[in-house]
mmCIF file of all heavy atoms in Angstrom:
data_model
loop_
_atom_site.group_PDB
_atom_site.id
_atom_site.type_symbol
_atom_site.label_atom_id
_atom_site.label_comp_id
_atom_site.label_asym_id
_atom_site.label_seq_id
_atom_site.Cartn_x
_atom_site.Cartn_y
_atom_site.Cartn_z
ATOM 1 N N SER A 1053 102.437 131.489 111.167
ATOM 2 C CA SER A 1053 101.935 130.437 110.282
ATOM 3 C C SER A 1053 102.953 129.313 110.148
ATOM 4 O O SER A 1053 102.614 128.126 110.174
ATOM 5 C CB SER A 1053 101.627 131.026 108.900
ATOM 6 O OG SER A 1053 101.315 130.019 107.988
ATOM 7 N N GLU A 1054 104.233 129.682 110.009
ATOM 8 C CA GLU A 1054 105.305 128.695 109.879
ATOM 9 C C GLU A 1054 105.439 127.864 111.156
ATOM 10 O O GLU A 1054 105.622 126.654 111.116
ATOM 11 C CB GLU A 1054 106.618 129.421 109.579
ATOM 12 C CG GLU A 1054 107.738 128.491 109.125
ATOM 13 C CD GLU A 1054 108.985 129.259 108.750
ATOM 14 O OE1 GLU A 1054 109.392 130.142 109.542
ATOM 15 O OE2 GLU A 1054 109.549 128.994 107.678
ATOM 16 N N MET A 1055 105.316 128.529 112.310
ATOM 17 C CA MET A 1055 105.433 127.837 113.598
ATOM 18 C C MET A 1055 104.282 126.848 113.780
ATOM 19 O O MET A 1055 104.475 125.710 114.200
ATOM 20 C CB MET A 1055 105.425 128.851 114.738
ATOM 21 C CG MET A 1055 105.641 128.238 116.119
ATOM 22 S SD MET A 1055 105.591 129.472 117.435
ATOM 23 C CE MET A 1055 103.848 129.903 117.438
ATOM 24 N N LEU A 1056 103.055 127.270 113.423
ATOM 25 C CA LEU A 1056 101.890 126.391 113.549
ATOM 26 C C LEU A 1056 102.020 125.193 112.623
ATOM 27 O O LEU A 1056 101.627 124.073 112.968
ATOM 28 C CB LEU A 1056 100.608 127.165 113.225
ATOM 29 C CG LEU A 1056 100.196 128.222 114.258
ATOM 30 C CD1 LEU A 1056 99.009 129.029 113.744
ATOM 31 C CD2 LEU A 1056 99.844 127.574 115.591
ATOM 32 N N SER A 1057 102.587 125.415 111.432
ATOM 33 C CA SER A 1057 102.793 124.328 110.478
ATOM 34 C C SER A 1057 103.759 123.295 111.035
ATOM 35 O O SER A 1057 103.555 122.092 110.901
ATOM 36 C CB SER A 1057 103.322 124.897 109.157
ATOM 37 O OG SER A 1057 103.603 123.857 108.255
ATOM 38 N N LEU A 1058 104.831 123.778 111.694
ATOM 39 C CA LEU A 1058 105.816 122.863 112.272
ATOM 40 C C LEU A 1058 105.237 122.086 113.448
ATOM 41 O O LEU A 1058 105.615 120.951 113.704
ATOM 42 C CB LEU A 1058 107.045 123.656 112.729
ATOM 43 C CG LEU A 1058 107.947 124.201 111.617
ATOM 44 C CD1 LEU A 1058 108.996 125.131 112.199
ATOM 45 C CD2 LEU A 1058 108.616 123.073 110.846
ATOM 46 N N GLN A 1059 104.306 122.715 114.174
ATOM 47 C CA GLN A 1059 103.723 122.073 115.348
ATOM 48 C C GLN A 1059 102.606 121.101 114.976
ATOM 49 O O GLN A 1059 102.221 120.261 115.776
ATOM 50 C CB GLN A 1059 103.170 123.148 116.298
ATOM 51 C CG GLN A 1059 104.254 123.962 116.999
ATOM 52 C CD GLN A 1059 103.693 125.065 117.872
ATOM 53 O OE1 GLN A 1059 102.509 125.386 117.780
ATOM 54 N NE2 GLN A 1059 104.531 125.652 118.714
ATOM 55 N N SER A 1060 102.084 121.213 113.760
ATOM 56 C CA SER A 1060 100.975 120.362 113.347
ATOM 57 C C SER A 1060 101.415 118.901 113.282
ATOM 58 O O SER A 1060 102.505 118.597 112.799
ATOM 59 C CB SER A 1060 100.471 120.792 111.963
ATOM 60 O OG SER A 1060 99.532 119.857 111.473
ATOM 61 N N PRO A 1061 100.574 117.985 113.768
ATOM 62 C CA PRO A 1061 100.943 116.570 113.726
ATOM 63 C C PRO A 1061 100.585 115.904 112.392
ATOM 64 O O PRO A 1061 100.759 114.707 112.234
ATOM 65 C CB PRO A 1061 100.116 115.974 114.877
ATOM 66 C CG PRO A 1061 98.878 116.816 114.893
ATOM 67 C CD PRO A 1061 99.318 118.209 114.505
ATOM 68 N N HIS A 1062 100.045 116.678 111.454
ATOM 69 C CA HIS A 1062 99.576 116.095 110.197
ATOM 70 C C HIS A 1062 100.324 116.635 108.982
ATOM 71 O O HIS A 1062 100.800 117.765 108.976
ATOM 72 C CB HIS A 1062 98.072 116.345 110.023
ATOM 73 C CG HIS A 1062 97.225 115.649 111.035
ATOM 74 N ND1 HIS A 1062 96.716 116.303 112.139
ATOM 75 C CD2 HIS A 1062 96.828 114.355 111.139
ATOM 76 C CE1 HIS A 1062 96.022 115.434 112.868
ATOM 77 N NE2 HIS A 1062 96.091 114.248 112.291
ATOM 78 N N ASP A 1063 100.402 115.783 107.965
ATOM 79 C CA ASP A 1063 100.990 116.170 106.690
ATOM 80 C C ASP A 1063 99.920 116.886 105.866
ATOM 81 O O ASP A 1063 98.828 116.358 105.665
ATOM 82 C CB ASP A 1063 101.479 114.911 105.954
ATOM 83 C CG ASP A 1063 101.937 115.213 104.551
ATOM 84 O OD1 ASP A 1063 102.851 116.032 104.391
ATOM 85 O OD2 ASP A 1063 101.366 114.635 103.604
ATOM 86 N N GLU A 1064 100.228 118.069 105.386
ATOM 87 C CA GLU A 1064 99.227 118.885 104.685
ATOM 88 C C GLU A 1064 98.730 118.232 103.406
ATOM 89 O O GLU A 1064 97.548 118.302 103.082
ATOM 90 C CB GLU A 1064 99.811 120.269 104.366
ATOM 91 C CG GLU A 1064 99.944 121.181 105.573
ATOM 92 C CD GLU A 1064 100.384 122.580 105.191
ATOM 93 O OE1 GLU A 1064 100.384 122.903 103.983
ATOM 94 O OE2 GLU A 1064 100.736 123.354 106.096
ATOM 95 N N LEU A 1065 99.611 117.597 102.656
ATOM 96 C CA LEU A 1065 99.234 117.037 101.359
ATOM 97 C C LEU A 1065 98.313 115.827 101.479
ATOM 98 O O LEU A 1065 97.299 115.736 100.792
ATOM 99 C CB LEU A 1065 100.491 116.655 100.568
ATOM 100 C CG LEU A 1065 100.250 116.004 99.201
ATOM 101 C CD1 LEU A 1065 99.519 116.965 98.262
ATOM 102 C CD2 LEU A 1065 101.569 115.552 98.584
ATOM 103 N N THR A 1066 98.655 114.896 102.369
ATOM 104 C CA THR A 1066 97.921 113.623 102.441
ATOM 105 C C THR A 1066 96.920 113.557 103.587
ATOM 106 O O THR A 1066 96.045 112.698 103.584
ATOM 107 C CB THR A 1066 98.908 112.457 102.597
ATOM 108 O OG1 THR A 1066 99.636 112.632 103.823
ATOM 109 C CG2 THR A 1066 99.891 112.417 101.429
ATOM 110 N N GLY A 1067 97.079 114.420 104.584
ATOM 111 C CA GLY A 1067 96.204 114.358 105.754
ATOM 112 C C GLY A 1067 96.627 113.289 106.748
ATOM 113 O O GLY A 1067 96.000 113.127 107.794
ATOM 114 N N LEU A 1068 97.716 112.565 106.439
ATOM 115 C CA LEU A 1068 98.215 111.538 107.359
ATOM 116 C C LEU A 1068 99.031 112.200 108.468
ATOM 117 O O LEU A 1068 99.299 113.397 108.430
ATOM 118 C CB LEU A 1068 99.104 110.545 106.605
ATOM 119 C CG LEU A 1068 98.490 109.781 105.431
ATOM 120 C CD1 LEU A 1068 99.544 108.884 104.793
ATOM 121 C CD2 LEU A 1068 97.289 108.963 105.877
ATOM 122 N N ALA A 1069 99.438 111.402 109.434
ATOM 123 C CA ALA A 1069 100.373 111.907 110.447
ATOM 124 C C ALA A 1069 101.677 112.255 109.737
ATOM 125 O O ALA A 1069 101.983 111.708 108.671
ATOM 126 C CB ALA A 1069 100.608 110.841 111.507
ATOM 127 N N ASN A 1070 102.450 113.172 110.320
ATOM 128 C CA ASN A 1070 103.737 113.503 109.728
ATOM 129 C C ASN A 1070 104.863 112.782 110.478
ATOM 130 O O ASN A 1070 104.601 112.016 111.415
ATOM 131 C CB ASN A 1070 103.970 115.018 109.693
ATOM 132 C CG ASN A 1070 103.897 115.659 111.076
ATOM 133 O OD1 ASN A 1070 104.087 114.998 112.095
ATOM 134 N ND2 ASN A 1070 103.623 116.950 111.117
ATOM 135 N N ARG A 1071 106.093 113.015 110.064
ATOM 136 C CA ARG A 1071 107.236 112.309 110.661
ATOM 137 C C ARG A 1071 107.352 112.589 112.156
ATOM 138 O O ARG A 1071 107.613 111.679 112.941
ATOM 139 C CB ARG A 1071 108.527 112.718 109.951
ATOM 140 C CG ARG A 1071 109.728 111.901 110.396
ATOM 141 C CD ARG A 1071 111.015 112.373 109.745
ATOM 142 N NE ARG A 1071 112.119 111.502 110.120
ATOM 143 C CZ ARG A 1071 112.540 110.470 109.399
ATOM 144 N NH1 ARG A 1071 111.946 110.174 108.261
ATOM 145 N NH2 ARG A 1071 113.562 109.727 109.812
ATOM 146 N N LYS A 1072 107.121 113.854 112.541
ATOM 147 C CA LYS A 1072 107.242 114.227 113.952
ATOM 148 C C LYS A 1072 106.240 113.441 114.800
ATOM 149 O O LYS A 1072 106.578 112.932 115.874
ATOM 150 C CB LYS A 1072 107.010 115.725 114.106
ATOM 151 C CG LYS A 1072 107.171 116.225 115.535
ATOM 152 C CD LYS A 1072 106.932 117.724 115.627
ATOM 153 C CE LYS A 1072 107.051 118.224 117.056
ATOM 154 N NZ LYS A 1072 106.768 119.677 117.165
ATOM 155 N N ALA A 1073 105.002 113.325 114.304
ATOM 156 C CA ALA A 1073 103.967 112.591 115.046
ATOM 157 C C ALA A 1073 104.327 111.113 115.154
ATOM 158 O O ALA A 1073 104.118 110.489 116.199
ATOM 159 C CB ALA A 1073 102.616 112.759 114.358
ATOM 160 N N LEU A 1074 104.876 110.555 114.077
ATOM 161 C CA LEU A 1074 105.281 109.138 114.105
ATOM 162 C C LEU A 1074 106.406 108.926 115.115
ATOM 163 O O LEU A 1074 106.382 107.958 115.885
ATOM 164 C CB LEU A 1074 105.738 108.691 112.718
ATOM 165 C CG LEU A 1074 106.200 107.226 112.638
ATOM 166 C CD1 LEU A 1074 105.012 106.288 112.702
ATOM 167 C CD2 LEU A 1074 107.011 106.967 111.374
#
Side-chain angles (χ1 to χ4, degrees):
S1053 172
E1054 193 176 48
M1055 184 181 70
L1056 290 173
S1057 176
L1058 288 172
Q1059 289 177 347
S1060 172
H1062 294 100
D1063 173 58
E1064 287 186 11
L1065 178 63
T1066 61
L1068 301 178
N1070 58 23
R1071 187 183 184 95
K1072 182 180 178 182
L1074 179 74

